Amino acid sequence: MVVPYEGQSFSALKRRCQQNGGLFEDPLFPTADESLFYQRNQIGRVTWKRPKELSSDPHLFVDGISAHDLHQGQLGNCWFVAACSSLASREALWQKVIPDWKDQEWSKDKPESYAGIFHFRFWRFGEWVDVVIDDRLPTVNGELVYCHSNDSNEFWSALVEKAYAKMCGCYEALDGGNTADALVDFTGGVSEPMDLMENGYKEDEEKRNELFERVLKVHNRGGLISCSIRATTAADMEARLDCGLVKGHAYAVTEVRRVRLGHGLLAFFKSDKLTMIRMRNPWGQREWNGPWSDSSEEWQKVSKSERERIGVTVQDDGEFWMTFDDFIANYTDLILCRLINTSYLSFHKTWEEAVMTASWRRHDDPLLNRAGGCTNNKTTFLQNPQYFFDVRKPEDEVLICLQQKDRRTGRREGRGENLAIGFDIHRVELNRTYRMHVTQEKVGGSMYINSRSVFLRIDLPMGRYVIIPTTFDPGLEGDFLLRIFTDVPSDCKELTLHEPPQTCWSGLCGHPSMVTQVHILQADGLAGQDSDGVSDPYVIIRCEGEKVRSGVHKNTRSPVFDTKGLFYRKKENRPIDIEIYNHNVVMDSFLGKVTVPAEQGTIHKTLHLKNKGDRHDNDLPGTITVAIVTSSIMTSI
């Protein structure tokens, strides 16, 4: 679904202009300083000109679209230009951002069809937004002020930049930004920022190789990639290093591959391949001058056909190759924007996506407050929105992205700074359906940062988890979008109720007065059921007609279950049964059970299992360690 930005319909506006015989003038983004700056003009007298006034033969594209079409202008938006360079290398992606591009092109055969109007699409907060602009572009002394192409009659990059500036409030809103955000806006994917200074990439060859495989996979599956060298001071920004690279500057990664060494037929029988990466400087010049730079002697180790196949040039066009080792040694930050494939018809991995849109909102009632701040705020943290999701495999890679609404558009009114946001993940009881009132086992979480989105990739074992998205400080309000990607459906839902609700049947059937958390930690010395003397055990917890079952633990007599169940109880005198079974193909077999009497408070003990006949033979049937917490429902878990 595509939503028209500010209700402007491209087709309706174009048709009206064609009927009236005039060129479109956008009332929402006028040719005035307010479209350029927040407060005051910083570049002198600006003249807005249409492409026909800048070239006798304007085109959207000249000889197709490529990363070489983009050059950064008088705006600190290398982050945006680098993202555009990555976009230009992916036809399926740029055709989504630039829809109906053939129909939007200037036509010599039908000049009367031209109406001075264009439209472009960006992914914003869970939906594709169609942004309409006129073709009047800001110039000084007859030259485009901002993004422009190598070819003076090619205008796609300048027009895309104008549409993006309109959506963000003005051109100045693009002065300083986050490449990860632009990559998401172009794709609807999820961006993973990576700190190359951490995790030992520079020292550990095995970790570098693992990272290269991940980068190669993202690239081969159509994702977009960017990188930069961190500037630690204002003086470092845009500082050129001796190696030719520039600090504080976003580069687009335009190729990732293994390059074959050697010449002739023998090269095909050699296993020697270099892991290499190609980047582009949005300035269109200033390149890496180290090993494997454009004209370095290292390229003599590669056959001419291989050089032609991978597109090696010796021009100072801003694009250059490096070995992946040199890349890790010089760059500090990497952004991987994955295209999340949710199609079941694909040959590649298909992800299951859960999407939640909600808000942080203040309220005087603690039960209704949803702006509790991070975990530092112990009394209010659990007042934030809570969502549970299930991991149904023994272990699953989970991708989590939390995004807030872009606040740059409100910068003119003093509301342009993003909130510091993040999230925590807690492992909870397998049957939890009510909100947490006590923090559980924290298994992961994001950093808190005032960026538009935060991301986490984490491997989680089978179980149920609660994710709590928050602002860093309590009492702050804003809208957010939470996306969770798993290998199998996670059944993600918001936890809204604090406890079982009172109904008309509560008087007849009773209403829970106690809540009990049963935590099965581990078992030991279980009876061996298989031919090799081990079992495939699982545990079932039964309480007042409800039950919770763990996953199966393969080939062990001493499983670490780490399984929790939560029970809202009407009959506090009823005991709790814990049963262990062995999983078989035909029919599961019983291994033993314990019955725990109802007790107030906390129990933590190791109990001897009994078989069905309650015998106490030495070889039957083992022990189980449990922790049970029971409390009043008014102080519920």
Side-chain angles (χ1 to χ4, degrees):
M1 180 179 176
V2 179
V3 178
Y5 181 73
E6 297 291 347
Q8 288 183 304
S9 167
F10 170 74
S11 56
L13 290 169
K14 183 175 182 178
R15 186 165 55 250
R16 192 180 308 156
C17 290
Q18 290 172 334
Q19 291 171 348
N20 297 337
L23 298 179
F24 178 59
E25 295 184 3
D26 187 2
L28 301 186
F29 204 64
T31 55
D33 282 359
E34 67 187 72
S35 297
L36 299 173
F37 313 106
Y38 284 122
Q39 295 176 336
R40 59 185 179 83
N41 187 321
Q42 300 171 15
I43 59 175
R45 184 176 179 182
V46 173
T47 304
W48 296 76
K49 293 189 175 184
R50 297 185 187 269
K52 275 283 190 183
E53 299 173 89
L54 296 169
S55 170
S56 59
D57 185 27
H59 289 278
L60 199 58
F61 303 119
V62 174
D63 297 326
I65 181 173
S66 81
H68 298 277
D69 295 341
L70 293 120
H71 293 279
Q72 185 181 343
Q74 297 180 39
L75 197 60
N77 68 338
C78 61
W79 59 278
F80 171 78
V81 179
C84 281
S85 295
S86 297
L87 177 71
S89 64
R90 302 293 192 187
E91 183 175 356
L93 296 181
W94 69 253
Q95 287 192 5
K96 199 161 189 175
V97 173
I98 311 174
D100 314 315
W101 66 272
K102 291 183 180 179
D103 294 333
Q104 296 201 71
E105 184 63 88
W106 279 264
S107 173
K108 289 184 178 180
D109 299 331
K110 298 180 180 178
E112 71 283 355
S113 66
Y114 187 73
I117 184 171
F118 289 87
H119 69 131
F120 303 94
R121 290 174 182 169
F122 308 104
W123 190 92
R124 300 287 277 191
F125 211 65
E127 59 190 13
W128 285 92
V129 179
D130 193 78
V131 182
V132 172
I133 58 167
D134 61 37
D135 65 351
R136 297 176 295 180
L137 299 170
T139 69
V140 171
N141 298 325
E143 300 289 335
L144 289 174
V145 177
Y146 300 125
C147 191
H148 54 279
S149 175
N150 261 342
D151 296 294
S152 60
N153 63 332
E154 184 177 58
F155 291 95
W156 77 266
S157 59
L159 293 167
V160 168
E161 183 186 48
K162 180 175 181 178
Y164 200 77
K166 175 181 176 179
M167 186 176 64
C168 293
C170 68
Y171 275 94
E172 192 183 349
L174 309 187
D175 194 2
N178 191 330
T179 307
D181 292 341
L183 294 175
V184 171
D185 290 342
F186 291 157
T187 63
V190 291
S191 283
E192 178 182 9
M194 302 188 68
D195 187 337
L196 301 179
M197 306 286 285
E198 297 181 348
N199 300 317
Y201 293 123
K202 295 185 186 299
E203 300 81 20
D204 191 324
E205 181 180 1
E206 185 176 345
K207 287 187 175 181
R208 285 199 303 276
N209 291 338
E210 289 175 359
L211 179 60
F212 178 80
E213 293 298 332
R214 194 184 311 165
V215 173
L216 181 64
K217 183 183 291 185
V218 171
H219 177 76
N220 287 344
R221 293 188 179 180
L224 303 184
I225 306 170
S226 177
C227 56
S228 61
I229 302 172
R230 200 175 308 152
T232 54
T233 65
D236 268 353
M237 286 299 293
E238 309 293 359
R240 187 176 184 182
L241 303 175
D242 292 340
C243 64
L245 302 177
V246 181
K247 277 191 169 184
H249 194 61
Y251 289 77
V253 173
T254 56
E255 184 62 272
V256 182
R257 66 166 63 229
R258 289 185 173 85
V259 176
R260 190 185 302 275
L261 300 179
H263 296 266
L265 289 175
L266 288 177
F268 289 93
F269 297 99
K270 287 186 176 180
S271 59
D272 292 345
K273 288 184 180 181
L274 277 181
T275 54
M276 299 194 72
I277 188 167
R278 187 178 69 195
M279 283 145 292
R280 186 172 187 279
N281 184 342
W283 287 348
Q285 54 185 354
R286 297 193 183 179
E287 300 182 2
W288 160 254
N289 56 31
W292 299 95
S293 53
D294 281 358
S295 56
S296 69
E297 60 184 17
E298 283 84 6
W299 284 110
Q300 299 306 311
K301 301 176 184 178
V302 178
S303 67
K304 181 181 178 182
S305 60
E306 181 79 349
R307 293 199 302 270
E308 290 175 349
R309 187 172 70 88
I310 66 176
V312 176
T313 65
V314 293
Q315 299 173 317
D316 186 21
D317 55 5
E319 195 166 50
F320 55 88
W321 288 89
M322 301 172 74
T323 65
F324 196 70
D325 285 353
D326 280 338
F327 170 78
I328 295 295
N330 285 276
Y331 284 88
T332 62
D333 294 275
L334 176 68
I335 298 171
L336 302 177
C337 182
R338 290 177 171 82
L339 300 188
I340 303 299
N341 175 35
T342 55
S343 170
Y344 291 108
L345 303 178
S346 173
F347 291 108
H348 294 313
K349 177 179 173 65
T350 297
W351 293 88
E352 295 287 343
E353 180 182 24
V355 181
M356 302 287 156
T357 305
S359 304
W360 295 293
R361 290 288 179 262
R362 290 190 304 269
H363 200 285
D364 293 336
D365 185 345
L367 294 180
L368 300 177
N369 183 46
R370 293 296 177 265
C374 71
T375 189
N376 295 343
N377 308 282
K378 299 187 184 302
T379 59
T380 59
F381 169 64
L382 291 177
Q383 295 172 10
N384 286 293
Q386 299 180 13
Y387 301 87
F388 82 79
F389 67 94
D390 292 329
V391 173
R392 302 182 186 278
K393 297 171 59 179
E395 186 173 82
D396 197 3
E397 181 182 33
V398 181
L399 309 181
I400 301 170
C401 182
L402 174 66
Q403 186 178 106
Q404 63 182 313
K405 272 202 171 174
D406 192 2
R407 299 165 80 90
R408 275 182 304 194
T409 54
R411 197 176 294 177
R412 199 185 305 275
E413 294 82 24
R415 297 182 288 105
E417 296 304 318
N418 286 324
L419 303 173
I421 62 172
F423 54 85
D424 281 359
I425 307 169
H426 292 248
R427 192 176 188 192
V428 299
E429 305 86 357
L430 290 175
N431 61 335
R432 175 172 284 279
T433 55
Y434 301 107
R435 287 176 60 84
M436 288 168 50
H437 301 99
V438 176
T439 55
Q440 303 282 342
E441 175 194 359
K442 180 179 175 180
V443 295
S446 72
M447 293 178 59
Y448 278 81
I449 188 169
N450 61 341
S451 67
R452 209 178 76 196
S453 63
V454 292
F455 173 85
L456 180 69
R457 177 175 47 83
I458 187 172
D459 293 324
L460 293 174
M462 182 182 294
R464 177 160 291 186
Y465 298 85
V466 167
I467 182 168
I468 305 175
T470 83
T471 58
F472 185 79
D473 294 315
L476 300 179
E477 296 191 323
D479 300 324
F480 65 84
L481 176 75
L482 178 66
R483 293 194 286 169
I484 301 173
F485 300 92
T486 50
D487 193 42
V488 295
S490 65
D491 195 29
C492 182
K493 290 183 176 64
E494 183 177 5
L495 297 173
T496 57
L497 298 176
H498 292 273
E499 60 184 48
Q502 294 272 7
T503 68
C504 58
W505 298 103
S506 297
L508 295 174
C509 303
H511 189 264
S513 60
M514 309 292 292
V515 60
T516 298
Q517 181 195 75
V518 183
H519 187 184
I520 309 300
L521 299 168
Q522 62 188 54
D524 192 38
L526 299 180
Q529 296 288 308
D530 299 341
S531 59
D532 53 1
V534 295
S535 298
D536 299 329
Y538 62 89
V539 64
I540 294 178
I541 310 167
R542 300 183 189 274
C543 181
E544 294 191 29
E546 301 292 328
K547 73 175 183 177
V548 170
R549 172 178 164 164
S550 75
V552 175
H553 292 249
K554 294 285 187 180
N555 300 320
T556 180
R557 294 180 64 183
S558 301
V560 179
F561 285 117
D562 192 17
T563 296
K564 294 180 183 178
L566 193 66
F567 302 94
Y568 289 85
R569 306 177 62 188
K570 304 172 188 176
K571 303 170 184 176
E572 57 190 76
N573 294 324
R574 289 285 183 88
I576 299 165
D577 289 330
I578 301 168
E579 304 167 349
I580 297 182
Y581 292 82
N582 179 58
H583 177 66
N584 296 308
V585 174
V586 179
M587 187 174 69
D588 295 349
S589 54
F590 178 81
L591 294 181
K593 69 178 285 186
V594 294
T595 298
V596 184
E599 296 184 35
Q600 289 281 355
T602 301
I603 300 173
H604 189 291
K605 59 177 65 175
T606 299
L607 303 169
H608 287 275
L609 293 164
K610 298 180 181 180
N611 65 11
K612 289 183 179 179
D614 289 344
R615 292 182 305 179
H616 295 278
D617 300 345
N618 290 333
D619 60 341
L620 293 173
T623 62
I624 188 166
T625 304
V626 301
I628 300 177
V629 179
T630 299
S631 65
S632 164
I633 200 168
M634 298 303 294
T635 57
S636 66
I637 302 165

